[in-house]
C-alpha cells in the first residue's frame, strides 16, 4: 500500500445486524479496502466503521456504503440516543501516511459531488473540507438533527447543502469531510474525587484557554478520577505535551497520574513522536524506523 | 510482506566499487528482497549491506552474495583495519516481525549447510545459531582472523567448521548466525571530560556487571562526552531503562544528558515500547497501532 487513508463512516443503524452486514459487505467488495473495525451501539442505534486503504479505494467504498444505507435505512423511523441527520450520518477522510490533507479534502469534495448528483442525497462538507467557516464544526452542520434539517434545508438559505437537492428524503443528509487522525487519550488520577479531574480537564483543553487541539472532560470511571480527552491533531498538540501538563497540574493537587490509555487505534507516528521527546532523540529521522523504509513498496 | 527479516551481511571489500556493485546486484535480483543500505568503509576495506524481506528470500539473497563474493574477493590479498576471516565475513539473520528467532536459527543453519556443501566455503554458526557455547561470540569464532583460521582449521579440532571443508581457500570462512535486532544508541553529556562517560559506560554495561544486553564505551566525540552503546536485545533490556540509568548516574556527577541518538535503523517496536513506558500506557496493545493492523496483508 502506497498510501494509508483512514475513513470512519457512521451509519444510523445499531440494531438490525442484517442492515449493518449489508452496508459493511458492500464496502468490503472494493479491492484494496480493509475493514479494521465495526462498532454497533444499540442505544445510539448507530454503527461506526473503521476502514483503511488508498484514497481512491476508500472513497469508492464510502460511496457504495452511502448508497446502500440510503436504500436500507429510513430516517423517518430512526430513533437513537446519538445526534444524527442521515442514514449515513458522517464520513471523515483521515490522512495517515503518504497522503496530504489537501488530497483528502479534494477527495471528500469529489465524493460529496457524486453523492449529491448520483444518489440525490444532500451533502454538507465539514471540517477541513468545509466551504465556509460555519460548517467546519459537525455539531453546527447537524443542528436540529434529521427532523430540524428536513424543515430548514428548503427554507433557510444558510442551510442549503453543498451538493444535492435542498430537500431531505428518507436517507436524510450526510456530512462528508476531512480531518487529522483523532487520538482518544485518557489519564487516570489516584483519587476517587472527580473535581481535580474536572479542574485539570479545564486546564488543558482549548475551550478553556489551553491546547488548541485538545477536548477534555473530568469523569469518574469505576470510582477513579479520569481526564478524558480527544486529541484532534497530535501533529500540532502531541500526546507527551498534554500528559506533561496533566502531570504538572495533578501535582498541584498532590495527585499523580496512575496510568493512561489510548482508546481504539492511533498512527505509529504519534507514539514515535513521544518516544523521540522522552528519549531526547533530537536528530532522529522517521526514516530510521525500519518499517517506514518498507512503506510504499509494491 | 507477511514477515520482516533483516539480514546484514558484511563483505571484505570497501574499496573496489565494481566488486561491491557486483555483490549487491546479485542479491538485489532475488524477488522480495529490498536492499535498505550499503555502507562501504575504505579503511576497514569492508562493506555492510542491510536488506529485508521474508526469510526464504533474504536467505537466498545471502547465498547468492556469498557465492559472488567468493568469486570476486581473494582473502590472500585483503588488507583492512577491521577484523575479518572471509570474503563474506559474517551473515546475521534478524527477526523483526512475524517471524521467530527459532525460524531464523533454522534458516541460518540451512544456509550454512548450502554454503558449505555447494560452495565449499567453511561455515561457523554463531550467536543464537551456534552449535556450542564457545561459538556464540563472533570474536571467538573469528580469533586469529583469516590468516590464523587458515592455519588452525585443519590442525585444531576445536576450530573445525560446522559445514564445509576443514580447509580455507581464497574466500576464507564465513560466520552465519541469528541474533535479535541491534540498536546503536548513544547518549551525550554536558561535559568535555571523557571520564564521567567512561564511568557511566561501566555502570550500565554487562561486562561490568549491569544490563545483560548492553555493550558500552565512554568516548569524546567532537569535544563532547558520549556514552556509546549497542543494545543487543531491546526486548529484554529496553532503551528507556538504559537511558534512565544513564540519567541517574550522570546526576551523581552533576551532569545531564544533552541529547541522544540512534545510529542506523531500528524496529518501530523499540520506540513504541519506550513511548508506552513514559506515557504510562500500561494496558496498551501493539494491535492499537494502526499500521500494525495492516501488517501481514497481501
Amino acid at each position: 500500500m502506497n498510501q494509508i487513508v483512514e475513513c470512519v463512516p457512521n451509519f444510523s443503524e445499531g440494531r438490525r445486524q442484517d442492515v449493518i452486514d449489508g452496508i459493511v459487505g458492500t464496502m468490503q467488495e472494493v479491492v484494496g479496502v480493509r475493514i479494521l473495525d465495526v462498532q454497533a451501539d444499540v442505544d445510539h442505534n448507530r454503527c461506526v466503521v473503521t476502514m483503511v486503504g488508498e484514497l481512491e479505494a476508500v472513497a469508492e467504498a464510502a460511496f457504495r456504503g452511502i448508497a446502500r444505507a440510503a436504500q436500507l435505512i429510513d430516517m423517518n423511523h430512526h430513533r437513537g440516543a446519538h445526534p444524527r441527520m442521515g442514514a449515513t450520518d458522517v464520513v471523515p477522510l483521515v490522512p495517515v501516511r503518504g497522503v496530504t490533507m489537501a488530497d483528502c479534502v479534494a477527495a471528500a469534495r469529489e465524493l460529496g459531488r457524486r453523492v449529491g448528483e448520483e444518489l440525490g442525497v444532500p451533502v454538507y462538507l465539514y471540517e477541513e473540507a468545509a466551504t465556509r467557516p460555519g460548517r467546519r464544526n459537525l455539531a453546527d452542520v447537524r443542528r436540529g438533527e434529521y427532523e430540524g434539517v428536513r424543515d430548514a434545508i428548503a427554507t433557510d438559505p444558510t442551510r442549503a447543502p453543498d451538493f444535492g437537492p435542498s430537500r431531505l428524503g428518507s436517507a436524510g443528509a450526510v456530512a462528508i469531510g476531512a480531518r487529522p487522525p483523532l487520538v482518544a487519550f485518557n489519564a487516570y488520577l489516584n483519587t476517587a474525587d472527580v473535581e481535580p479531574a474536572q479542574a485539570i480537564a479545564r486546564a488543558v483543553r482549548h475551550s478553556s484557554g489551553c491546547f488548541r487541539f485538545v477536548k477534555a472532560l473530568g469523569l469518574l470511571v469505576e470510582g477513579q478520577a479520569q481526564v478524558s480527552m480527544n486529541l484532534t491533531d497530535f501533529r500540532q498538540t502531541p500526546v507527551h505535551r498534554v500528559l506533561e501538563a496533566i502531570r504538572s497540574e495533578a501535582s498541584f493537587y498532590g495527585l499523580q497520574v496512575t496510568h493512561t490509555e489510548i482508546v481504539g487505534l492511533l498512527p505509529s507516528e504519534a507514539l514515535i513522536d513521544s518516544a523521540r521527546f522522552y528519549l531526547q532523540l533530537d536528530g532522529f529521522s522517521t526514516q530510521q524506523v525500519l518499517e517506514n523504509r518498507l512503506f510504499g513498496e509494491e
Side-chain angles (χ1 to χ4, degrees), chain A:
Chain A
M1 201 178 279
N2 282 308
Q3 296 178 332
I4 303 179
V5 175
E6 188 184 24
C7 180
V8 193
N10 290 215
F11 299 99
S12 292
E13 180 57 62
R15 296 169 190 169
R16 294 177 296 166
Q17 192 61 46
D18 58 322
V19 170
I20 296 169
D21 291 346
I23 295 167
V24 172
T26 196
M27 294 196 296
Q28 215 152 18
E29 281 168 9
V30 177
V31 174
V33 163
R34 191 155 163 142
I35 308 281
L36 296 185
D37 196 38
V38 179
Q39 295 274 359
D41 188 296
V42 170
D43 290 335
H44 288 180
N45 197 10
R46 184 179 183 90
C47 72
V48 178
V49 179
T50 303
M51 60 183 175
V52 291
E54 300 203 3
L55 189 47
E56 205 175 326
V58 296
E60 175 61 25
F63 179 81
R64 294 191 195 181
I66 294 166
R68 193 88 167 134
Q71 294 167 345
L72 298 177
I73 300 170
D74 182 347
M75 291 305 293
N76 294 301
H77 301 107
H78 182 272
R79 301 288 175 273
H82 196 287
R84 81 291 177 268
M85 65 175 182
T88 306
D89 195 53
V90 53
V91 180
L93 293 170
V94 180
V96 175
R97 301 178 74 135
V99 58
T100 66
M101 180 61 80
D103 295 334
C104 287
V105 165
R109 289 178 176 169
E110 172 56 19
L111 174 61
R113 188 196 59 74
R114 277 190 75 191
V115 168
E117 291 181 6
E118 298 179 28
L119 304 179
V121 172
V123 172
Y124 296 94
L125 297 169
Y126 82 111
E127 290 236 1
E128 300 290 324
T131 53
R132 57 199 93 169
R135 293 197 179 169
R136 289 186 69 90
N137 190 339
L138 178 62
D140 293 335
V141 170
R142 200 164 52 193
R143 184 163 36 86
E145 301 191 38
Y146 173 67
E147 295 75 8
V149 176
R150 188 181 52 196
D151 300 337
I153 192 167
T155 56
D156 180 350
T158 70
R159 303 294 299 267
D162 288 297
F163 296 107
S166 288
R167 177 180 46 75
L168 243 58
S170 64
V174 54
I176 298 177
R179 61 162 173 78
L182 185 84
V183 176
F185 178 62
N186 300 328
Y188 290 84
L189 304 173
N190 59 337
T191 178
D193 182 2
V194 72
E195 282 185 25
Q198 292 170 332
I200 293 170
R202 285 192 297 273
V204 298
R205 72 190 178 200
H206 187 241
S207 67
S208 310
C210 193
F211 294 119
R212 177 154 173 191
F213 297 101
V214 176
K215 297 176 178 179
L217 281 175
L219 303 173
L220 266 193
V221 176
E222 294 175 9
Q224 184 169 10
Q226 182 201 73
V227 183
S228 173
M229 288 165 284
N230 276 330
L231 311 188
T232 56
D233 190 348
F234 71 81
R235 295 183 181 106
Q236 298 198 63
T237 303
V239 185
H240 56 84
R241 195 169 299 153
V242 178
L243 178 59
E244 289 305 305
I246 290 171
R247 285 174 174 159
S248 166
E249 295 289 328
S251 75
F252 173 78
Y253 300 99
L255 297 172
Q256 285 188 307
V257 173
T258 63
H259 62 291
T260 69
E261 67 185 3
I262 299 288
V263 180
L265 302 174
L266 83 174
S268 64
E269 182 188 349
L271 294 175
I272 288 171
D273 189 37
S274 286
R276 186 180 162 278
F277 173 78
Y278 286 113
L279 295 173
Q280 291 183 265
L281 286 166
D282 66 355
F284 188 73
S285 156
T286 53
Q287 282 301 298
Q288 293 183 257
V289 176
L290 199 149
E291 289 91 336
N292 288 354
R293 297 287 285 271
L294 303 177
F295 181 71
E297 74 178 317
E298 288 310 298

